[in-house]
Amino acid sequence: MIELRTPGELDAMRAAGAVVADMIAAVRAAAAPGVRLSQLDEVARDVLAAAGATSPFLGYAPLPTTPPFPGVVCLSVNDVALHGIPTPQVLEDGDLLSVDAGATLDGWVGDSATTFAVGTPRPEDLRLVGTAQRALEAGIAAAVVGNRVGDVSAAIGAVGRAGGCGINTDQGGHGVGRSMHEPPSVPNEGRAGRGVPLRAGLVIAIEPWFLAGGSDDYRVDADGWTLRSADGSRAAHVEHTVAVTEDGPRVLTAPR
């Protein structure tokens, strides 16, 4: 069942979203060549603890066969598109790092992601991240009363395809509220005018993830989590939790 949130509930979700923004900012500031992914997870844990929040990621297992996720952030490097585990892997100059973070505060969840270069950026990586960011902005702009989920999906997909990116709809955006994954599903490609109507109070995570090589194919590592581009090309993932309101989209995970 899709639930619509009151203005007061949206304010509470904004408080959770602000913690997520702080987590991402802290991880980004700490990410540098020579730093281990596991160290960045500790940085994120410290932000959660200071805010009195918990992680919806830690221990998450969507299927009985899926091992519980061991971190509070997903850290995806280079060809890893989603769900990278915070291992002792050491970051190198020029790596492309995606940080996906969530926080639960007073029973409400925020979910957001960003991608950036560690150290010296590659021009092609900057183009990929720019395409993903423009797609996110287009998706947010379409999240208005009177539109449908398909309008958000179509806006994201149009930017991604124009940028020559691979787009896969097996994983994508979703509703957010008391839990991290709620209806409706928000694919990163679709047909305008189709799908669930967008009504005031609906909260969704809009999250383009694009593959630089142009292929839509991916593979999953033996750990059951790490999702990589099938062709080895780099990936970018950006995300915000967004509320549909009568006054337009409200980004609940924007920086303070």
Side-chain angles (χ1 to χ4, degrees):
M1 182 176 66
I2 297 174
E3 296 190 42
L4 304 179
R5 308 302 178 183
T6 67
E9 290 172 334
L10 294 183
D11 289 342
M13 292 192 70
R14 168 56 185 155
V19 175
V20 177
D22 289 347
M23 292 171 70
I24 288 176
V27 170
R28 182 166 191 159
V35 174
R36 297 183 184 275
L37 299 182
S38 53
Q39 292 176 289
L40 297 180
D41 188 71
E42 289 298 329
V43 168
R45 289 173 190 252
D46 288 344
V47 174
L48 283 170
T54 58
S55 170
F57 290 17
L58 185 63
Y60 181 67
L63 298 171
T65 55
T66 307
F69 194 78
V72 301
V73 286
C74 297
L75 300 173
S76 304
V77 181
N78 297 335
D79 66 321
V80 178
L82 298 174
H83 307 155
I85 292 174
T87 66
Q89 177 182 342
V90 176
L91 290 170
E92 298 181 3
D93 186 57
D95 278 345
L96 189 62
L97 177 64
S98 296
V99 180
D100 187 359
T104 303
L105 182 68
D106 297 328
W108 296 102
V109 175
D111 188 9
S112 184
T114 193
T115 299
F116 57 90
V118 175
T120 309
R122 299 182 180 185
E124 59 269 31
D125 289 344
L126 295 179
R127 287 193 294 271
L128 174 64
V129 173
T131 299
Q133 187 61 42
R134 289 193 300 275
L136 175 60
E137 292 165 359
I140 293 171
V144 296
V145 174
N147 272 357
R148 292 177 176 267
V149 165
D151 294 298
V152 176
S153 299
I156 294 168
V159 175
R161 293 299 183 192
C165 297
I167 305 173
N168 192 292
T169 56
D170 288 352
Q171 309 275 346
H174 48 85
V176 184
R178 291 288 188 180
S179 63
M180 182 169 56
H181 292 132
E182 298 183 356
S185 173
V186 186
N188 286 322
E189 195 167 35
R191 296 180 63 181
R194 300 293 183 91
V196 174
L198 302 184
R199 298 168 60 193
L202 177 66
V203 181
I204 53 177
I206 300 174
E207 53 175 317
W209 61 279
F210 293 161
L211 306 174
S215 170
D216 300 345
D217 297 332
Y218 67 88
R219 61 184 177 87
V220 180
D221 284 2
D223 60 30
W225 281 106
T226 306
L227 188 155
R228 300 178 184 271
S229 63
D231 60 9
S233 63
R234 292 190 169 196
H237 175 210
V238 293
E239 176 185 17
H240 272 308
T241 297
V242 180
V244 178
T245 79
E246 294 289 357
D247 298 321
R250 181 184 179 187
V251 180
L252 301 178
T253 46
R256 295 176 191 266

Short mmCIF file of all heavy atoms in Angstrom, two decimals, residues 56-114:
data_model
loop_
_atom_site.label_atom_id
_atom_site.label_comp_id
_atom_site.label_asym_id
_atom_site.label_seq_id
_atom_site.Cartn_x
_atom_site.Cartn_y
_atom_site.Cartn_z
N PRO A 56 19.54 1.73 8.16
CA PRO A 56 18.66 0.73 7.57
C PRO A 56 19.43 -0.25 6.68
O PRO A 56 18.87 -1.26 6.25
CB PRO A 56 17.68 1.57 6.74
CG PRO A 56 18.46 2.78 6.36
CD PRO A 56 19.39 3.05 7.53
N PHE A 57 20.70 0.05 6.39
CA PHE A 57 21.51 -0.82 5.55
C PHE A 57 22.09 -1.98 6.36
O PHE A 57 22.14 -3.11 5.88
CB PHE A 57 22.69 -0.04 4.94
CG PHE A 57 22.34 0.96 3.88
CD1 PHE A 57 21.04 1.42 3.72
CD2 PHE A 57 23.31 1.46 3.05
CE1 PHE A 57 20.72 2.35 2.75
CE2 PHE A 57 23.01 2.39 2.06
CZ PHE A 57 21.72 2.84 1.91
N LEU A 58 22.56 -1.68 7.57
CA LEU A 58 23.29 -2.67 8.37
C LEU A 58 22.38 -3.86 8.69
O LEU A 58 21.33 -3.72 9.31
CB LEU A 58 23.79 -2.03 9.66
CG LEU A 58 24.66 -2.90 10.55
CD1 LEU A 58 25.95 -3.29 9.85
CD2 LEU A 58 24.97 -2.15 11.86
N GLY A 59 22.81 -5.05 8.25
CA GLY A 59 22.05 -6.26 8.50
C GLY A 59 20.90 -6.49 7.54
O GLY A 59 20.18 -7.49 7.68
N TYR A 60 20.73 -5.61 6.58
CA TYR A 60 19.62 -5.75 5.64
C TYR A 60 19.82 -6.98 4.76
O TYR A 60 20.90 -7.21 4.23
CB TYR A 60 19.52 -4.49 4.76
CG TYR A 60 18.39 -4.51 3.76
CD1 TYR A 60 17.07 -4.48 4.17
CD2 TYR A 60 18.66 -4.54 2.39
CE1 TYR A 60 16.03 -4.48 3.26
CE2 TYR A 60 17.62 -4.54 1.46
CZ TYR A 60 16.31 -4.51 1.91
OH TYR A 60 15.28 -4.53 1.00
N ALA A 61 18.76 -7.76 4.61
CA ALA A 61 18.80 -8.97 3.78
C ALA A 61 17.45 -9.12 3.10
O ALA A 61 16.49 -9.60 3.72
CB ALA A 61 19.12 -10.20 4.62
N PRO A 62 17.31 -8.70 1.84
CA PRO A 62 16.01 -8.71 1.19
C PRO A 62 15.45 -10.09 0.91
O PRO A 62 14.24 -10.26 0.77
CB PRO A 62 16.27 -7.95 -0.12
CG PRO A 62 17.73 -8.11 -0.37
CD PRO A 62 18.37 -8.14 0.98
N LEU A 63 16.33 -11.09 0.82
CA LEU A 63 15.90 -12.46 0.56
C LEU A 63 16.52 -13.39 1.60
O LEU A 63 17.59 -13.10 2.15
CB LEU A 63 16.33 -12.90 -0.85
CG LEU A 63 15.76 -12.10 -2.02
CD1 LEU A 63 16.45 -12.53 -3.31
CD2 LEU A 63 14.26 -12.26 -2.12
N PRO A 64 15.88 -14.52 1.87
CA PRO A 64 16.45 -15.47 2.84
C PRO A 64 17.84 -15.97 2.42
O PRO A 64 18.65 -16.34 3.27
CB PRO A 64 15.44 -16.62 2.85
CG PRO A 64 14.16 -16.01 2.40
CD PRO A 64 14.54 -14.95 1.41
N THR A 65 18.11 -15.95 1.13
CA THR A 65 19.41 -16.42 0.63
C THR A 65 20.46 -15.31 0.57
O THR A 65 21.61 -15.58 0.28
CB THR A 65 19.24 -17.02 -0.78
OG1 THR A 65 18.62 -16.03 -1.63
CG2 THR A 65 18.37 -18.26 -0.73
N THR A 66 20.05 -14.08 0.86
CA THR A 66 20.99 -12.96 0.81
C THR A 66 21.68 -12.79 2.16
O THR A 66 21.00 -12.66 3.18
CB THR A 66 20.26 -11.65 0.47
OG1 THR A 66 19.49 -11.83 -0.73
CG2 THR A 66 21.26 -10.51 0.26
N PRO A 67 23.02 -12.76 2.19
CA PRO A 67 23.70 -12.52 3.47
C PRO A 67 23.43 -11.11 3.96
O PRO A 67 23.31 -10.17 3.15
CB PRO A 67 25.18 -12.71 3.11
CG PRO A 67 25.27 -12.50 1.64
CD PRO A 67 23.97 -12.96 1.07
N PRO A 68 23.28 -10.91 5.26
CA PRO A 68 23.02 -9.57 5.79
C PRO A 68 24.12 -8.59 5.37
O PRO A 68 25.30 -8.92 5.42
CB PRO A 68 23.00 -9.78 7.30
CG PRO A 68 22.68 -11.23 7.49
CD PRO A 68 23.31 -11.93 6.33
N PHE A 69 23.72 -7.40 4.96
CA PHE A 69 24.71 -6.41 4.54
C PHE A 69 25.53 -5.98 5.75
O PHE A 69 24.98 -5.65 6.80
CB PHE A 69 24.04 -5.21 3.89
CG PHE A 69 25.01 -4.33 3.16
CD1 PHE A 69 25.48 -4.68 1.91
CD2 PHE A 69 25.47 -3.16 3.74
CE1 PHE A 69 26.39 -3.88 1.23
CE2 PHE A 69 26.39 -2.35 3.08
CZ PHE A 69 26.84 -2.72 1.82
N PRO A 70 26.88 -5.94 5.63
CA PRO A 70 27.72 -5.74 6.81
C PRO A 70 28.08 -4.30 7.11
O PRO A 70 28.77 -4.05 8.11
CB PRO A 70 28.98 -6.53 6.43
CG PRO A 70 29.08 -6.38 4.95
CD PRO A 70 27.65 -6.38 4.46
N GLY A 71 27.67 -3.34 6.30
CA GLY A 71 28.07 -1.96 6.51
C GLY A 71 26.89 -1.03 6.68
O GLY A 71 25.73 -1.42 6.54
N VAL A 72 27.19 0.25 6.98
CA VAL A 72 26.15 1.27 7.08
C VAL A 72 26.09 2.12 5.82
O VAL A 72 25.19 2.95 5.66
CB VAL A 72 26.34 2.17 8.32
CG1 VAL A 72 26.31 1.33 9.59
CG2 VAL A 72 27.61 2.99 8.22
N VAL A 73 27.05 1.92 4.93
CA VAL A 73 27.05 2.57 3.62
C VAL A 73 27.45 1.55 2.57
O VAL A 73 28.19 0.61 2.85
CB VAL A 73 28.00 3.78 3.55
CG1 VAL A 73 27.43 4.98 4.29
CG2 VAL A 73 29.38 3.43 4.07
N CYS A 74 26.95 1.74 1.34
CA CYS A 74 27.44 0.99 0.20
C CYS A 74 28.53 1.83 -0.45
O CYS A 74 28.32 3.02 -0.72
CB CYS A 74 26.32 0.73 -0.81
SG CYS A 74 24.96 -0.27 -0.19
N LEU A 75 29.69 1.22 -0.69
CA LEU A 75 30.83 1.92 -1.28
C LEU A 75 31.23 1.17 -2.54
O LEU A 75 31.77 0.07 -2.47
CB LEU A 75 31.98 1.98 -0.28
CG LEU A 75 31.65 2.74 1.02
CD1 LEU A 75 32.80 2.59 2.02
CD2 LEU A 75 31.37 4.20 0.75
N SER A 76 30.93 1.77 -3.69
CA SER A 76 31.07 1.10 -4.97
C SER A 76 32.16 1.78 -5.78
O SER A 76 32.08 2.99 -6.05
CB SER A 76 29.74 1.12 -5.73
OG SER A 76 28.71 0.53 -4.93
N VAL A 77 33.17 1.02 -6.18
CA VAL A 77 34.36 1.59 -6.82
C VAL A 77 34.44 1.16 -8.29
O VAL A 77 34.36 -0.02 -8.61
CB VAL A 77 35.64 1.15 -6.08
CG1 VAL A 77 36.88 1.76 -6.73
CG2 VAL A 77 35.58 1.54 -4.61
N ASN A 78 34.60 2.14 -9.16
CA ASN A 78 34.87 1.95 -10.59
C ASN A 78 33.76 1.18 -11.30
O ASN A 78 32.70 1.73 -11.55
CB ASN A 78 36.24 1.31 -10.78
CG ASN A 78 37.36 2.22 -10.28
OD1 ASN A 78 37.19 3.43 -10.23
ND2 ASN A 78 38.50 1.64 -9.92
N ASP A 79 33.98 -0.10 -11.63
CA ASP A 79 32.96 -0.85 -12.36
C ASP A 79 31.85 -1.37 -11.47
O ASP A 79 30.87 -1.94 -11.96
CB ASP A 79 33.59 -2.01 -13.13
CG ASP A 79 34.18 -3.08 -12.22
OD1 ASP A 79 34.78 -2.70 -11.18
OD2 ASP A 79 34.08 -4.27 -12.53
N VAL A 80 31.96 -1.19 -10.17
CA VAL A 80 30.87 -1.55 -9.25
C VAL A 80 29.82 -0.45 -9.31
O VAL A 80 30.11 0.72 -9.04
CB VAL A 80 31.37 -1.75 -7.81
CG1 VAL A 80 30.20 -2.08 -6.88
CG2 VAL A 80 32.42 -2.85 -7.76
N ALA A 81 28.61 -0.83 -9.66
CA ALA A 81 27.54 0.15 -9.84
C ALA A 81 26.73 0.35 -8.56
O ALA A 81 26.35 1.48 -8.23
CB ALA A 81 26.61 -0.30 -10.97
N LEU A 82 26.46 -0.74 -7.85
CA LEU A 82 25.59 -0.68 -6.67
C LEU A 82 26.06 -1.68 -5.62
O LEU A 82 26.68 -2.69 -5.95
CB LEU A 82 24.14 -1.02 -7.04
CG LEU A 82 23.38 -0.14 -8.03
CD1 LEU A 82 22.04 -0.78 -8.34
CD2 LEU A 82 23.21 1.27 -7.51
N HIS A 83 25.73 -1.38 -4.37
CA HIS A 83 25.80 -2.34 -3.26
C HIS A 83 27.20 -2.80 -2.93
O HIS A 83 27.39 -3.90 -2.40
CB HIS A 83 24.90 -3.56 -3.55
CG HIS A 83 23.51 -3.21 -3.90
ND1 HIS A 83 22.70 -4.04 -4.67
CD2 HIS A 83 22.76 -2.12 -3.62
CE1 HIS A 83 21.53 -3.48 -4.83
NE2 HIS A 83 21.54 -2.31 -4.22
N GLY A 84 28.21 -1.98 -3.22
CA GLY A 84 29.58 -2.35 -2.86
C GLY A 84 29.75 -2.45 -1.36
O GLY A 84 29.31 -1.59 -0.59
N ILE A 85 30.38 -3.53 -0.92
CA ILE A 85 30.59 -3.79 0.51
C ILE A 85 31.82 -3.02 1.01
O ILE A 85 32.84 -2.96 0.31
CB ILE A 85 30.77 -5.29 0.75
CG1 ILE A 85 29.44 -6.02 0.47
CG2 ILE A 85 31.23 -5.59 2.17
CD1 ILE A 85 29.54 -7.53 0.54
N PRO A 86 31.77 -2.42 2.20
CA PRO A 86 32.92 -1.70 2.75
C PRO A 86 34.03 -2.66 3.22
O PRO A 86 34.17 -2.94 4.40
CB PRO A 86 32.34 -0.91 3.93
CG PRO A 86 30.87 -0.93 3.75
CD PRO A 86 30.57 -2.22 3.05
N THR A 87 34.78 -3.14 2.28
CA THR A 87 35.88 -4.07 2.55
C THR A 87 37.15 -3.29 2.91
O THR A 87 37.17 -2.06 2.85
CB THR A 87 36.16 -4.92 1.30
OG1 THR A 87 36.67 -4.05 0.26
CG2 THR A 87 34.89 -5.62 0.81
N PRO A 88 38.25 -3.99 3.22
CA PRO A 88 39.53 -3.30 3.44
C PRO A 88 40.20 -2.81 2.16
O PRO A 88 41.36 -2.38 2.20
CB PRO A 88 40.39 -4.37 4.13
CG PRO A 88 39.43 -5.35 4.69
CD PRO A 88 38.30 -5.39 3.73
N GLN A 89 39.51 -2.86 1.03
CA GLN A 89 40.09 -2.37 -0.22
C GLN A 89 40.60 -0.94 -0.06
O GLN A 89 39.94 -0.09 0.53
CB GLN A 89 39.05 -2.40 -1.34
CG GLN A 89 39.54 -1.83 -2.67
CD GLN A 89 38.47 -1.83 -3.75
OE1 GLN A 89 37.46 -2.54 -3.64
NE2 GLN A 89 38.64 -1.05 -4.79
N VAL A 90 41.79 -0.68 -0.60
CA VAL A 90 42.41 0.64 -0.51
C VAL A 90 42.08 1.45 -1.76
O VAL A 90 42.24 0.97 -2.89
CB VAL A 90 43.94 0.52 -0.34
CG1 VAL A 90 44.60 1.88 -0.35
CG2 VAL A 90 44.27 -0.23 0.95
N LEU A 91 41.62 2.67 -1.57
CA LEU A 91 41.34 3.55 -2.69
C LEU A 91 42.63 4.01 -3.36
O LEU A 91 43.64 4.25 -2.68
CB LEU A 91 40.55 4.77 -2.22
CG LEU A 91 39.10 4.52 -1.80
CD1 LEU A 91 38.52 5.75 -1.12
CD2 LEU A 91 38.25 4.12 -3.00
N GLU A 92 42.57 4.14 -4.69
CA GLU A 92 43.71 4.62 -5.45
C GLU A 92 43.36 5.92 -6.15
O GLU A 92 42.19 6.23 -6.38
CB GLU A 92 44.13 3.57 -6.49
CG GLU A 92 44.56 2.24 -5.87
CD GLU A 92 44.99 1.23 -6.92
OE1 GLU A 92 44.99 1.58 -8.14
OE2 GLU A 92 45.32 0.10 -6.54
N ASP A 93 44.40 6.68 -6.50
CA ASP A 93 44.19 7.93 -7.20
C ASP A 93 43.46 7.68 -8.53
O ASP A 93 43.86 6.80 -9.30
CB ASP A 93 45.52 8.62 -7.47
CG ASP A 93 45.36 9.99 -8.08
OD1 ASP A 93 44.68 10.84 -7.46
OD2 ASP A 93 45.88 10.23 -9.19
N GLY A 94 42.39 8.42 -8.76
CA GLY A 94 41.62 8.26 -9.99
C GLY A 94 40.45 7.31 -9.88
O GLY A 94 39.68 7.18 -10.85
N ASP A 95 40.29 6.63 -8.75
CA ASP A 95 39.13 5.76 -8.58
C ASP A 95 37.84 6.58 -8.62
O ASP A 95 37.81 7.75 -8.22
CB ASP A 95 39.19 5.02 -7.24
CG ASP A 95 40.08 3.78 -7.27
OD1 ASP A 95 40.42 3.32 -8.37
OD2 ASP A 95 40.42 3.29 -6.18
N LEU A 96 36.79 5.94 -9.10
CA LEU A 96 35.46 6.55 -9.09
C LEU A 96 34.66 5.87 -7.98
O LEU A 96 34.45 4.65 -8.02
CB LEU A 96 34.77 6.36 -10.44
CG LEU A 96 33.46 7.13 -10.65
CD1 LEU A 96 33.69 8.64 -10.59
CD2 LEU A 96 32.83 6.75 -11.99
N LEU A 97 34.23 6.64 -6.99
CA LEU A 97 33.59 6.08 -5.80
C LEU A 97 32.15 6.55 -5.70
O LEU A 97 31.86 7.75 -5.73
CB LEU A 97 34.35 6.51 -4.54
CG LEU A 97 33.75 6.07 -3.20
CD1 LEU A 97 33.75 4.56 -3.05
CD2 LEU A 97 34.51 6.73 -2.05
N SER A 98 31.24 5.59 -5.57
CA SER A 98 29.84 5.88 -5.27
C SER A 98 29.57 5.58 -3.80
O SER A 98 29.95 4.51 -3.31
CB SER A 98 28.90 5.05 -6.15
OG SER A 98 29.05 5.38 -7.51
N VAL A 99 28.93 6.52 -3.13
CA VAL A 99 28.58 6.37 -1.71
C VAL A 99 27.06 6.41 -1.60
O VAL A 99 26.43 7.41 -1.96
CB VAL A 99 29.19 7.51 -0.86
CG1 VAL A 99 28.82 7.32 0.61
CG2 VAL A 99 30.70 7.57 -1.05
N ASP A 100 26.49 5.32 -1.13
CA ASP A 100 25.04 5.22 -0.93
C ASP A 100 24.81 5.07 0.57
O ASP A 100 25.35 4.15 1.20
CB ASP A 100 24.51 4.00 -1.69
CG ASP A 100 22.99 3.91 -1.68
OD1 ASP A 100 22.33 4.78 -1.09
OD2 ASP A 100 22.46 2.96 -2.29
N ALA A 101 24.04 5.99 1.15
CA ALA A 101 23.88 6.02 2.61
C ALA A 101 22.42 6.13 2.99
O ALA A 101 21.60 6.70 2.26
CB ALA A 101 24.66 7.19 3.21
N GLY A 102 22.10 5.59 4.16
CA GLY A 102 20.76 5.70 4.71
C GLY A 102 20.81 5.91 6.20
O GLY A 102 21.79 5.55 6.86
N ALA A 103 19.76 6.50 6.74
CA ALA A 103 19.66 6.70 8.19
C ALA A 103 18.20 6.57 8.61
O ALA A 103 17.30 6.99 7.88
CB ALA A 103 20.21 8.07 8.59
N THR A 104 18.01 6.00 9.78
CA THR A 104 16.69 5.94 10.40
C THR A 104 16.74 6.78 11.67
O THR A 104 17.58 6.55 12.55
CB THR A 104 16.30 4.50 10.75
OG1 THR A 104 16.34 3.70 9.58
CG2 THR A 104 14.90 4.45 11.35
N LEU A 105 15.87 7.78 11.75
CA LEU A 105 15.82 8.68 12.90
C LEU A 105 14.37 8.83 13.33
O LEU A 105 13.51 9.22 12.52
CB LEU A 105 16.42 10.04 12.53
CG LEU A 105 16.49 11.07 13.65
CD1 LEU A 105 17.49 10.64 14.73
CD2 LEU A 105 16.86 12.45 13.10
N ASP A 106 14.10 8.51 14.59
CA ASP A 106 12.73 8.59 15.13
C ASP A 106 11.73 7.84 14.27
O ASP A 106 10.58 8.26 14.09
CB ASP A 106 12.30 10.06 15.27
CG ASP A 106 13.16 10.84 16.26
OD1 ASP A 106 13.63 10.22 17.24
OD2 ASP A 106 13.38 12.04 16.05
N GLY A 107 12.19 6.72 13.69
CA GLY A 107 11.31 5.85 12.94
C GLY A 107 11.15 6.20 11.48
O GLY A 107 10.41 5.51 10.76
N TRP A 108 11.83 7.25 11.01
CA TRP A 108 11.73 7.66 9.61
C TRP A 108 13.07 7.48 8.90
O TRP A 108 14.12 7.65 9.51
CB TRP A 108 11.28 9.12 9.51
CG TRP A 108 9.92 9.34 10.07
CD1 TRP A 108 9.60 9.88 11.28
CD2 TRP A 108 8.68 9.01 9.44
NE1 TRP A 108 8.24 9.91 11.45
CE2 TRP A 108 7.64 9.39 10.33
CE3 TRP A 108 8.33 8.46 8.22
CZ2 TRP A 108 6.30 9.21 10.05
CZ3 TRP A 108 6.99 8.28 7.91
CH2 TRP A 108 5.99 8.65 8.82
N VAL A 109 13.00 7.18 7.60
CA VAL A 109 14.20 6.82 6.84
C VAL A 109 14.53 7.88 5.80
O VAL A 109 13.63 8.45 5.16
CB VAL A 109 14.01 5.46 6.14
CG1 VAL A 109 15.19 5.11 5.25
CG2 VAL A 109 13.80 4.35 7.17
N GLY A 110 15.83 8.12 5.61
CA GLY A 110 16.34 8.90 4.49
C GLY A 110 17.33 8.06 3.72
O GLY A 110 18.00 7.20 4.29
N ASP A 111 17.44 8.29 2.40
CA ASP A 111 18.28 7.46 1.53
C ASP A 111 18.83 8.35 0.42
O ASP A 111 18.05 9.05 -0.25
CB ASP A 111 17.42 6.33 0.95
CG ASP A 111 18.21 5.29 0.17
OD1 ASP A 111 19.46 5.32 0.20
OD2 ASP A 111 17.57 4.44 -0.47
N SER A 112 20.14 8.34 0.24
CA SER A 112 20.75 9.21 -0.76
C SER A 112 22.07 8.63 -1.22
O SER A 112 22.66 7.78 -0.55
CB SER A 112 20.98 10.62 -0.17
OG SER A 112 21.49 11.52 -1.12
N ALA A 113 22.55 9.08 -2.38
CA ALA A 113 23.82 8.59 -2.92
C ALA A 113 24.48 9.66 -3.77
O ALA A 113 23.81 10.55 -4.32
CB ALA A 113 23.60 7.33 -3.76
N THR A 114 25.79 9.56 -3.89
CA THR A 114 26.56 10.44 -4.76
C THR A 114 27.75 9.67 -5.31
O THR A 114 28.15 8.64 -4.76
CB THR A 114 27.02 11.70 -4.02
OG1 THR A 114 27.49 12.66 -4.96
CG2 THR A 114 28.15 11.38 -3.04
#
